[in-house]
RNA sequence: GGGCGAAUAGCUCAGCUGGUUCAGAGCGCCUGCCUUACACGCAGGAAGUCGGGGGUUCGAAUCCCUCUUCGCCCACCA
């Protein structure tokens, strides 16, 4: 907004406002929606002249983090979009061609869960409907409710380019997903493997490492004695999961551990199963933990699985997909829930006199990020993306400064993740999502596996019938492409040429790895450049006890409630003024009045200042700058006039810098103080005698106040666009 | 276990490169005011050993060390 200046040439003669009357009461409800409609009708948010086409106009592109298609607006969205809108409006006012691209995410697990709950009310499961009917049901739900969240974003004033709105399951974006899969496969970066993955026994699907959220939990460490098969004595192992001992196929010790030197190669008899399992030596064992001897359950622990591979151990899967005990365990345990089995196994071991002791033990346990169920490590066939080759350029982008983070420290988290990257499990045992584009030939003797951009009905090898992989892709496998798939990729569209790479990504730190980091990797891989150059990570909305606002805690605030009561401007001002760079926003769900007082009071103040000013602009108003006989000459300005003009210019500079540095709360408070303390409390009071006609200079005061107030409103526009 | 932040008025937080906008803002609180824009307001006011301790410096909320307390991210010690 560097082109704003009090003495700069006025865009429109203030005289045009002469005689305007505002209603005495500030009623945002009556102003905001009609104004928003006018903006839309005028097409003000539609990016028209892409970069390259009109090279004289620099661009500014922001990709909205697409909300889940079933989502309803919460304060997190409110904060996220208030920030984006402030940035996009600021750059738009600075004269850039802006694109703020909105969309929705099909949100595989989340949406499938929602619809499953819906049909559960009819007493049905997805299996009752069958795959095709269930997917159709989800589509129906999406068609019906999918635009709710976007309409809600409009209510808070978001100036998105709605003409380019996308959905991650649109035809075009689905094509992008296929193209991406095929290309990565061709480069050897996608593979199918038999590994231990994180499994949610409630959602019945694999999860990525990021989707299994570690939570520190108070647990227990049980010490079990496994008797030696030959001779007397026993080996004591320590475990946090007694139930898995039913799937043990070995005991492992460190090769240099003198305590067990003579035992390696011998066997123990596994209690409860009477299975004889070997004692093996493996470097992965930490002699310092527990007894230094570890029970090995290859099917249910990643480390144990690796040990099993090194020693060719038997692998026994003891769980069903629901994490109940399977037929591979003694009959009395079969069908038992894993936590019930934990108690039973421990109790039986104890009754056999084989429980040496137990200890309290705090450790991290994975939980499903969608339903919070304790994740079960499970051995299965899944598709993976080899991540190290993708991470290298993404890390380089950060190291070279091409990509930066606000606040800066988040960059180190990003780098740390990139440096320790692990392969990405992308297959999900769900029905809602992009189906994996792989077809298997059933013909005897062929068995060919084909990865294809187009649907197949016949095997390209033998012409036999094929069946498509049953699984769908991780939701984030479409999200990570959004910065270019939403612009038309893989086609070379004008939008893609014009708007890639974008500029700023505004999001919550929770999805730094899920989404942000992967977008950078995909951008580098498929477009040869980062998708954005600045990542602004804002804080979280919390209640007065600093708990994250959530539906389950019932401590949320409905932003639309706030809009209804105090207006979108008040909501937005409160959010932005209350939020430091990268810090959390604390609001009291039980006291909206107090929580939103800053915004509400300020909006009301502005309204009344405007009323006062407009009601006094009844005479012909003179321009402050420019040419002509009417222009206010410098000598005509009084001390107060010169002071408020100086303050206004200083505020313009301060606010412009604050916006440009993403210090939105600084911008908000600078405008607040200018309007309230300088303009309202001092200047407006000072000019009253002049305006009321009993002193000279009323026309000069009118000229000054009209211009100064106009500038203040312009400065405020990114934050409070309606007023 | 590794990495990183934060601690300033009752509450939420500014304070960016050590020094006259350095002890600030909003809310809350106290005292007056329905002064013809606004009581969602106006004029005033009280309120902080800047988490504790040590250091560097002419000078520290700000830099260093240390302790305490909260928080975040990462992690295959079962």
């Amino acid at each position: 907004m560097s082109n704003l200046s009090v003495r700069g040439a006025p865009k429109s003669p203030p005289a045009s406002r002469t005689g305007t009357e505002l209603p005495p009461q500030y009623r945002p409800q009556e102003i905001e929606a009609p104004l928003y409609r006018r903006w839309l009708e005028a097409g003000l948010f539609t990016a028209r002249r892409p970069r390259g086409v009109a090279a004289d106009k620099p661009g500014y592109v922001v990709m909205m983090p697409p909300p889940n298609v079933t989502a309803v607006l919460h304060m997190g969205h409110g904060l996220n979009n208030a920030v984006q809108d402030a940035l996009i409006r600021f750059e738009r006012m600075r004269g850039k061609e802006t694109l703020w691209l909105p969309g929705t995410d099909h949100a595989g697990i989340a949406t499938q869960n929602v619809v499953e709950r819906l049909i559960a009310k009819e007493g049905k499961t997805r299996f009752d409907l069958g795959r095709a009917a269930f997917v159709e049901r989800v589509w129906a739900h999406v068609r019906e409710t999918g635009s709710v969240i976007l309409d809600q974003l409009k209510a808070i004033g978001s100036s998105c380019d709605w003409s380019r709105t996308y959905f991650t399951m649109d035809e075009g974006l689905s094509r992008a997903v296929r193209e991406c899969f095929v290309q990565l496969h061709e480069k050897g970066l996608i593979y199918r493997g038999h590994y231990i993955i994180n499994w949610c026994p409630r959602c019945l699907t694999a999860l990525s490492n990021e989707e299994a959220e570690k939570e520190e939990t108070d647990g227990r460490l049980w010490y079990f004695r496994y008797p030696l098969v030959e001779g007397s004595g026993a080996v004591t192992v320590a475990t946090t999961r007694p139930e898995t001992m039913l799937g043990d196929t070995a005991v492992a010790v460190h090769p240099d551990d003198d305590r067990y030197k003579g035992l390696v190669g011998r066997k123990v008899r596994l209690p409860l199963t009477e299975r004889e399992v070997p004692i093996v030596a493996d470097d992965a064992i930490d002699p310092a933990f527990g007894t230094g001897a570890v029970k090995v359950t290859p099917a249910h622990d990643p480390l144990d699985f690796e040990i099993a591979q090194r020693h060719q151990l038997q692998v026994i899967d003891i769980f069903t997909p629901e994490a109940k005990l399977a037929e591979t365990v003694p009959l009395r345990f079969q069908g038992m829930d894993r936590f019930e089995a934990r108690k039973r196994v421990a109790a039986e071991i104890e009754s056999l006199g084989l429980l040496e002791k137990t200890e309290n033990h705090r450790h991290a346990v994975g939980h499903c990020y969608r339903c919070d169920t304790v994740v079960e490590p499970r051995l299965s066939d899944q598709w993976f993306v080899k991540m190290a080759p993708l991470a290298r350029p993404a890390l380089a982008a950060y190291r070279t400064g091409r990509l930066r983070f606000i606040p800066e420290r988040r960059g180190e988290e990003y780098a740390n993740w990139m440096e320790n990257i692990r392969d990405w499990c992308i297959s999900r045992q769900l029905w809602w999502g992009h189906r994996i584009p792989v077809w298997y030939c059933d013909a005897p003797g062929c068995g060919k596996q084909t990865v294809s951009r187009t649907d197949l009905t016949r095997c390209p090898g033998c012409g036999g019938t094929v069946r498509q992989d049953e699984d769908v892709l991780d939701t984030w496998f479409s999200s990570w492409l959004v910065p270019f798939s939403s612009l038309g990729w893989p086609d070379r569209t004008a939008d893609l040429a014009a708007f890639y790479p974008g500029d700023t990504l505004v999001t919550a730190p929770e999805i730094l790895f899920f989404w942000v980091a992967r977008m950078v990797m995909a951008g580098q891989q498929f477009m040869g450049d980062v998708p954005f150059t600045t990542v602004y990570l804002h804080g979280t909305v919390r209640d007065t006890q600093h708990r994250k606002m959530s539906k389950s805690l019932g401590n949320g605030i409905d932003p639309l409630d706030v809009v209804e009561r105090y207006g979108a401007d008040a909501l937005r001002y409160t959010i932005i003024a209350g939020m430091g760079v990268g810090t959390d926003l604390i609001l009291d769900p039980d006291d909206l009045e107090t929580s939103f007082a800053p915004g509400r009071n300020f909006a009301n103040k502005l309204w009344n200042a405007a009323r006062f000013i407009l009601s006094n602009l009844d005479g012909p108003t003179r321009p402050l700058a420019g040419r002509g006989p009417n222009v206010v000459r410098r000598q005509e300005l009084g001390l107060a006039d010169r002071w408020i003009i100086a303050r206004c210019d200083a505020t313009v500079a301060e606010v412009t810098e604050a916006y440009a540095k993403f210090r939105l709360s600084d911008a908000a408070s600078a405008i607040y103080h200018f309007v309230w303390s300088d303009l309202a409390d001092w200047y407006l009071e000072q000019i009253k005698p002049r305006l009321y006609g009993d002193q000279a200079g009323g026309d000069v005061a009118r000229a000054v106040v009209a211009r100064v107030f106009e500038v203040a409103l312009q400065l405020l526009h990114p934050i409070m666009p309606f007023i």
Side-chain angles (χ1 to χ4, degrees):
Chain A
M1 253 168 274
S2 46
N3 56 348
L4 285 186
S5 162
V6 181
R7 304 285 288 178
K11 304 289 175 299
S12 56
S16 63
R17 295 195 169 176
T18 298
T20 311
E21 287 258 341
L22 289 179
Q25 281 285 318
Y26 170 55
R27 289 208 189 81
Q29 304 80 356
E30 292 167 18
I31 301 163
E32 293 178 351
L35 185 52
Y36 193 87
R37 228 173 292 127
R38 266 190 281 151
W39 289 336
L40 285 188
E41 282 159 14
L44 298 178
F45 307 151
T46 308
R48 287 173 200 292
R49 287 187 282 162
R51 276 187 298 222
V53 176
D56 55 316
K57 207 173 183 189
Y60 183 75
V61 178
V62 173
M63 285 286 156
M64 176 189 292
N68 288 359
V69 69
T70 56
V72 289
L73 197 72
H74 59 239
M75 280 309 286
H77 297 118
L79 179 142
N80 179 244
N81 288 282
V83 170
Q84 291 175 84
D85 200 34
L87 297 178
I88 209 93
R89 285 178 186 268
F90 169 65
E91 299 294 354
R92 190 181 291 131
M93 289 182 79
R94 274 177 139 186
K96 293 186 185 172
E97 187 59 51
T98 56
L99 170 62
W100 182 15
L101 190 57
T104 48
D105 193 300
H106 70 280
I109 304 182
T111 304
Q112 176 159 326
N113 284 349
V114 165
V115 177
E116 280 188 308
R117 273 195 296 273
L118 280 178
I119 61 174
K121 285 180 191 156
E122 303 161 16
K124 288 182 189 155
T125 70
R126 67 180 153 119
F127 301 102
D128 295 332
L129 294 185
R131 183 165 189 153
F134 178 78
V135 169
E136 188 37 55
R137 184 67 189 265
V138 179
W139 269 111
H141 183 72
V142 165
R143 276 190 291 267
E144 193 185 326
T145 64
S147 60
V148 167
I149 181 91
L150 299 180
D151 288 337
Q152 293 176 321
L153 288 173
K154 292 174 185 169
I156 64 171
S158 307
S159 61
C160 311
D161 183 348
W162 302 108
S163 72
R164 289 178 166 87
T165 305
Y166 66 86
F167 177 49
T168 53
M169 294 262 283
D170 283 346
E171 192 272 329
L173 279 84
S174 299
R175 209 150 48 80
V177 164
R178 283 242 180 140
E179 181 65 30
C180 167
F181 189 98
V182 172
Q183 279 194 29
L184 289 179
H185 184 78
E186 283 167 351
K187 289 180 177 138
L189 295 177
I190 280 188
Y191 64 94
R192 187 171 165 82
H194 191 63
Y195 295 102
I196 298 262
I197 44 81
N198 298 291
W199 177 266
C200 176
R202 202 216 62 83
C203 299
L204 298 178
T205 180
L207 301 171
S208 65
N209 295 322
E210 288 71 26
E211 288 170 322
E213 295 180 336
K214 290 295 176 70
E215 235 171 80
E216 282 280 322
T217 315
D218 285 317
R220 191 160 269 279
L221 198 55
W222 283 263
Y223 287 77
F224 290 172
R225 263 195 291 271
Y226 289 178
L228 290 164
V229 171
E230 284 162 23
S232 59
V235 177
T236 302
V237 296
T239 181
T240 55
R241 302 199 53 195
E243 72 279 14
T244 62
M245 65 86 65
L246 298 170
D248 284 1
T249 56
V251 167
V253 298
H254 191 91
D256 302 334
D257 194 332
D258 291 337
R259 292 171 293 181
Y260 301 109
K261 269 269 153 67
L263 294 178
V264 175
R266 296 178 61 184
K267 290 187 168 183
V268 294
R269 176 165 288 113
L270 193 64
L272 309 184
T273 70
E274 301 310 310
R275 185 160 61 237
E276 292 183 6
V277 304
I279 299 170
V280 300
D282 196 287
D283 288 332
I285 304 303
D286 176 6
F289 187 87
T291 61
V294 180
K295 61 189 268 314
V296 180
T297 320
H300 303 293
D301 182 279
L303 181 64
D304 291 4
F305 179 70
E306 285 172 25
I307 293 173
Q309 299 222 297
R310 286 195 283 270
H311 300 274
Q312 286 88 44
L313 299 175
Q314 194 189 354
V315 176
I316 301 175
D317 189 339
I318 63 164
F319 289 123
T320 66
E322 293 81 12
K324 296 188 189 313
L325 293 187
E327 294 125 39
T328 45
V329 302
L331 192 60
R332 64 185 182 281
F333 294 108
Q334 288 180 17
M336 199 178 278
D337 175 79
R338 54 189 162 155
F339 299 110
E340 178 62 23
R342 180 171 304 174
K343 289 182 209 149
R344 285 287 297 275
V345 166
E348 290 200 19
I349 295 283
E350 184 169 21
S351 68
L352 290 171
L354 296 174
L355 179 66
E356 190 170 299
K357 60 174 175 176
T358 69
E359 289 172 352
N360 289 329
H361 182 65
R362 204 168 161 74
H363 62 142
V365 178
H367 291 73
C368 172
Y369 85 135
R370 294 304 347 167
C371 72
D372 209 40
T373 301
V374 173
V375 161
E376 189 60 47
R378 184 161 194 248
L379 191 59
S380 64
D381 288 313
Q382 304 288 344
W383 288 93
F384 296 86
V385 178
K386 201 181 283 183
M387 297 298 266
L390 297 174
R392 229 166 283 127
L395 180 61
Y398 169 68
R399 294 282 186 224
T400 58
R402 173 70 180 149
L403 178 71
R404 66 165 177 156
F405 291 82
I406 295 172
E408 276 180 32
R409 65 192 153 83
R410 296 289 181 180
E412 288 308 308
E413 283 176 21
Y414 169 91
N416 188 48
W417 186 78
M418 287 291 176
E419 282 163 356
N420 299 293
I421 194 91
R422 287 186 289 164
D423 286 356
W424 178 14
C425 175
I426 52 169
S427 44
R428 296 289 178 274
Q429 288 64 50
L430 303 171
W431 288 349
W432 174 244
H434 301 280
R435 197 143 165 195
I436 291 177
V438 177
W439 284 261
Y440 304 99
C441 178
D442 286 332
C446 179
K448 190 177 162 61
Q449 163 189 312
T450 311
V451 177
S452 173
R453 287 178 174 82
T454 54
D455 287 358
L456 294 184
T457 50
R458 299 257 148 224
C459 174
C462 70
T465 56
V466 289
R467 60 191 162 78
Q468 186 172 4
D469 196 299
E470 292 293 317
D471 292 348
V472 300
L473 289 158
D474 182 3
T475 290
W476 303 98
F477 195 86
S478 59
S479 317
W480 75 328
L481 309 176
V482 151
F484 42 94
S485 64
S486 66
L487 296 171
W489 188 88
D491 297 337
R492 310 190 69 84
T493 61
D495 268 5
L496 191 61
F499 297 120
Y500 193 96
D503 296 89
T504 309
L505 183 84
V506 179
T507 193
E510 293 100 87
I511 55 177
L512 178 56
F513 307 131
F514 278 117
W515 192 48
V516 180
R518 288 177 184 150
M519 277 193 286
V520 179
M521 293 192 273
Q524 298 278 56
Q525 175 69 24
F526 296 103
M527 297 294 296
D529 198 356
V530 292
F532 33 75
T533 52
T534 301
V535 178
Y536 177 101
L537 294 162
H538 58 239
T540 306
V541 186
R542 298 180 183 279
D543 68 11
T544 47
Q545 295 167 62
H546 294 201
R547 300 176 306 177
K548 191 172 172 175
M549 284 192 180
S550 74
K551 216 187 275 180
S552 53
L553 280 175
N555 62 344
I557 294 176
D558 182 352
L560 298 181
D561 245 23
V562 180
V563 170
E564 185 52 38
R565 285 194 210 205
Y566 311 119
D569 276 339
L571 170 77
R572 295 165 58 118
Y573 180 85
T574 302
I575 287 173
I576 285 176
M579 182 201 63
V581 175
T583 65
D584 291 341
L585 175 67
I586 312 292
L587 295 169
D588 185 354
D590 298 321
D591 191 356
L592 294 190
E593 174 95 11
T594 301
S595 291
F596 294 94
R600 182 201 57 172
N601 294 354
F602 189 40
N604 188 253
K605 186 73 180 178
L606 285 159
W607 181 262
N608 283 292
R611 272 202 320 131
F612 171 78
I613 291 166
L614 290 177
S615 71
N616 284 291
L617 289 181
D618 45 4
T621 309
R622 301 166 58 191
L624 252 196
R627 291 200 191 81
N630 218 13
V631 174
V632 174
R633 282 170 294 124
R634 186 170 285 274
Q635 307 91 279
E636 291 181 84
L637 295 171
L639 182 63
D641 303 325
R642 292 200 302 274
W643 174 77
I644 196 67
I645 288 169
R647 280 293 306 130
C648 186
D649 279 341
T651 305
V652 171
E654 189 181 348
V655 171
T656 303
E657 190 191 351
Y659 277 132
K661 287 183 169 173
F662 300 89
R663 302 183 66 94
L664 302 184
S665 63
D666 285 358
S669 75
I671 305 165
Y672 183 98
H673 285 112
F674 173 69
V675 168
W676 204 307
S677 310
D678 298 339
L679 184 61
D681 289 348
W682 279 102
Y683 190 68
L684 293 186
E685 294 305 322
Q686 204 277 344
I687 62 173
K688 275 178 182 173
R690 286 199 273 163
L691 293 178
Y692 295 152
D694 48 7
Q695 269 182 38
D699 58 335
V700 173
R702 272 193 289 275
V704 171
V705 81
R707 179 64 185 146
V708 159
F709 191 59
E710 184 179 23
V711 170
L713 291 180
Q714 287 174 321
L715 288 177
L716 204 47
H717 176 265
I719 299 169
M720 303 176 86
F722 291 108
I723 203 145

